[in-house]
Amino acid sequence: MSKDTVTVTDNASGKSVELPIRTGTHGPATIDIQSVYKELGYFTYDPGFTSTASCRSDITFIDGDQGILLYRGYPIEQLAEKSSFLEVSYLLMYGDLPTPKELDAFTTNITNHTMVNESLKDFFDGFHYNAHPMAMLTAVVSSLSAFYHDSIDINDPDSRELCAHRIIAKMPTIAGAAFKHLVGEPFVYPQNRLSYPANLLNMLFSRPSEKYEINPVAEKALDQLLILHADHEQNASTSTVRLAGSTGTNPFAAIASGCAALWGPAHGGANEAVLRMLEEIGDVSNVPQYIAKAKDKDDPFRLMGFGHRVYKNYDPRATIIRETCHEVLDALNMANDPQLELAVRLEEIALQDDYFVERKLYPNVDFYSGLIYKALGIPTQFFTVLFALGRTPGWISQWMELVEDNEQRIGRPRQLYTGAAKRDYIPLDQR
Ligand code: CMC
């Protein structure tokens, strides 16, 4: 019997199946269960995919026990310190760091695609004045497929690449329009002379009535936040993009489905939920009461920004963001912000509490990101849009990988049916 297999024996029938073990570069080896149903007639049951690898991927690696995150092999700490969001986008898409010439060409390409069709802009007039920006983002990203027929042939590599450039380039413009709709100000067109984060800040905060100066602290912090959010292997929204993409749908539709999945408070919506939680807690003196609520199984309250499906150690992105948060608030003379003080105290208390220690619940990326966004003047409702913007190169790279992977088929999970057994219809007058 090969050492590279696992044998599963069905005690009821005595039948056995030898399952191959597949090994990757890092991380646990994977048992290939594809023949289990064919050979033994069983499905496997894994709600939440806690033990199931849904695909093979070369893009991102996470070691949740060690708190390690690598994009294409590069540690997140090095990329956050030394790289830029556009360089990281290139890395995720093409697999290697670009040469100066390649980065230049990529940046020019992205810059040339920042405009959106004028009629796409009109969509925003149809939204209610207080529409949630994630609702607008999801709808408008989906509508891109109605404008770019030339790039939705998913079987053509050039089309796929053009589509990837378009989505990375247009997300800030769409986000900017959603922001302006939210705050009731006129839409600001992209400025291609500005860096990616500076252009975004300009579309969010500049007004026709006054000169707007980009704050370099804000520009750097935003670029770093986008880098930290750029990919996170097979999380819920990325898996949604892949599942939608596996049907052969166009990438704009697939990414819109990723935006919808990201919105939930257990995922990207947590950054908004953290700020709302800090507002609700209100004062450091109330922290013990809220820690008790988070531990109470009869209370639905959870400490937002704490815990992670994969990280059972400090989220490495949270370590970087925590430091940046202090730097940004210092630079903006907001070091005494009461919500920062509250967040620090909450973290201290939770990290000493047996409940959180035993369950390995540490602050995640969303715990401090909201405080930075708030310091930059971004309304709470808008935080998840920035997460989506950062995640876009990851989503599109994962989609491209899926389309190019000849092992991928339409995603079609099975189920353990627990409903009524087959029964006959009873006419209405006999019930
Ligand atoms: N506050 C209190 N208890 C918690 C929390 C929390 N934030 N998170 C997990 N637990 C408890 C949970 O009740 C369970 O306890 P027990 O074993 O006694 O039943 C145990 O810890 C394991 O939790 P789980 O829900 O089985 O873990 P999961 O892997 O299914 O969920 C999670 C992961 C991130 C959804 C969850 O930790 C959570 O809801 N956190 C708050 C929301 C949040 O911050 N989400 C952002 C995630 S990071 C960014 C992203 O990926 O989008």
Side-chain angles (χ1 to χ4, degrees):
M1 203 160 292
S2 158
K3 277 205 308 204
D4 302 329
T5 60
V6 162
T7 304
V8 176
T9 305
D10 174 14
N11 292 335
S13 67
K15 273 204 224 163
S16 284
V17 58
E18 215 175 315
L19 302 172
I21 296 177
R22 297 177 63 162
T23 333
T25 322
H26 293 305
T30 303
I31 303 170
D32 185 336
I33 58 167
Q34 289 182 87
S35 60
V36 169
Y37 176 60
K38 199 167 146 222
E39 299 297 331
L40 298 181
Y42 289 116
F43 294 151
T44 54
Y45 184 63
D46 185 17
F49 302 111
T50 54
S51 303
T52 300
S54 61
C55 61
R56 54 179 181 181
S57 180
D58 295 347
I59 302 175
T60 292
F61 172 73
I62 302 173
D63 182 329
D65 294 323
Q66 303 291 324
I68 292 172
L69 169 61
L70 312 175
Y71 294 165
R72 299 281 188 184
Y74 295 100
I76 192 64
E77 294 79 4
Q78 293 179 21
L79 294 170
E81 189 195 334
K82 299 177 181 154
S83 189
S84 68
F85 179 63
L86 277 190
E87 187 182 52
V88 165
S89 302
Y90 182 101
L91 172 69
L92 290 170
M93 263 185 76
Y94 298 102
D96 285 305
L97 286 171
T99 61
K101 209 169 143 205
E102 285 165 339
L103 182 58
D104 221 38
F106 182 69
T107 306
T108 307
N109 234 323
I110 298 298
T111 307
N112 283 341
H113 285 293
T114 51
M115 293 283 285
V116 293
N117 189 295
E118 275 300 287
S119 51
L120 187 135
K121 227 185 69 191
D122 296 343
F123 280 37
F124 289 91
D125 294 338
F127 290 114
H128 203 51
Y129 74 96
N130 61 356
H132 194 286
M134 279 305 284
M136 294 191 267
L137 184 83
T138 307
V140 175
V141 166
S142 174
S143 80
L144 288 175
S145 39
F147 289 87
Y148 300 108
H149 299 284
D150 62 328
S151 65
I152 59 174
D153 175 4
I154 65 161
N155 298 315
D156 172 26
D158 291 340
S159 262
R160 295 200 291 268
E161 188 180 36
L162 176 58
C163 183
H165 291 166
R166 278 186 171 144
I167 189 82
I168 294 171
K170 292 180 201 307
M171 277 301 249
T173 315
I174 297 170
F179 187 91
K180 289 301 190 188
H181 184 82
L182 182 72
V183 296
E185 289 176 7
F187 176 80
V188 175
Y189 286 93
Q191 289 291 331
N192 292 349
R193 66 186 161 80
L194 298 173
S195 73
Y196 194 92
N199 176 44
L200 175 61
L201 285 168
N202 191 58
M203 288 189 290
L204 300 182
F205 297 118
S206 71
R207 298 187 181 110
S209 52
E210 58 205 55
K211 191 165 162 37
Y212 173 68
E213 299 277 357
I214 309 284
N215 181 333
V217 174
E219 182 181 353
K220 186 166 174 283
L222 193 55
D223 202 48
Q224 192 189 62
L225 280 163
L226 296 176
I227 293 173
L228 296 179
H229 286 93
D231 196 45
H232 214 229
E233 51 115 313
Q234 308 312 319
N235 57 84
S237 58
T238 303
S239 297
T240 305
V241 170
R242 278 184 173 263
L243 192 58
S246 78
T247 69
T249 194
N250 72 75
F252 300 115
I255 287 189
S257 66
C259 290
L262 185 77
W263 192 0
H267 193 7
N271 52 18
E272 177 177 343
V274 169
L275 252 276
R276 297 207 187 287
M277 174 187 77
L278 293 176
E279 275 158 24
E280 189 185 326
I281 299 177
D283 188 80
V284 172
S285 63
N286 296 327
V287 169
Q289 175 198 334
Y290 278 87
I291 295 271
K293 269 165 78 63
K295 289 158 46 174
D296 180 355
K297 293 288 161 212
D298 297 324
D299 190 325
F301 177 80
R302 277 191 166 198
L303 219 50
M304 299 314 286
F306 263 77
H308 197 275
R309 169 60 62 77
V310 180
Y311 293 119
K312 299 303 168 200
N313 196 325
Y314 221 92
D315 177 341
R317 302 167 301 172
T319 314
I320 300 167
I321 278 191
R322 188 181 198 276
E323 206 175 301
T324 305
C325 183
H326 284 281
E327 281 167 18
V328 169
L329 270 69
D330 273 349
L332 301 177
N333 293 323
M334 294 168 75
N336 297 326
D337 181 75
Q339 278 186 331
L340 177 65
E341 195 197 335
L342 184 55
V344 171
R345 191 73 193 114
L346 190 63
E347 184 188 353
E348 273 168 14
I349 295 179
L351 291 180
Q352 286 164 14
D353 191 293
D354 282 350
Y355 174 94
F356 291 88
V357 174
E358 279 162 17
R359 289 169 181 75
K360 300 188 173 154
L361 299 170
Y362 293 91
N364 59 49
V365 68
D366 289 321
F367 192 66
Y368 281 101
S369 61
L371 287 168
I372 306 179
Y373 294 141
K374 189 182 157 222
L376 300 182
I378 293 165
T380 312
Q381 267 184 311
F382 199 74
F383 294 173
T384 312
V385 171
L386 294 175
F387 192 150
L389 211 155
R391 186 55 54 86
T392 299
W395 285 334
I396 200 72
S397 304
Q398 299 268 354
W399 171 80
M400 289 172 94
E401 189 180 65
L402 162 103
V403 175
E404 287 160 20
D405 182 354
N406 55 17
E407 281 190 5
Q408 281 302 313
R409 303 158 71 191
I410 182 168
R412 191 2 180 136
R414 306 307 294 252
Q415 64 169 7
L416 173 63
Y417 176 69
T418 53
K422 182 171 179 280
R423 49 186 168 168
D424 289 323
Y425 178 81
I426 303 164
L428 193 55
D429 60 357
Q430 291 171 32
R431 274 178 250 154

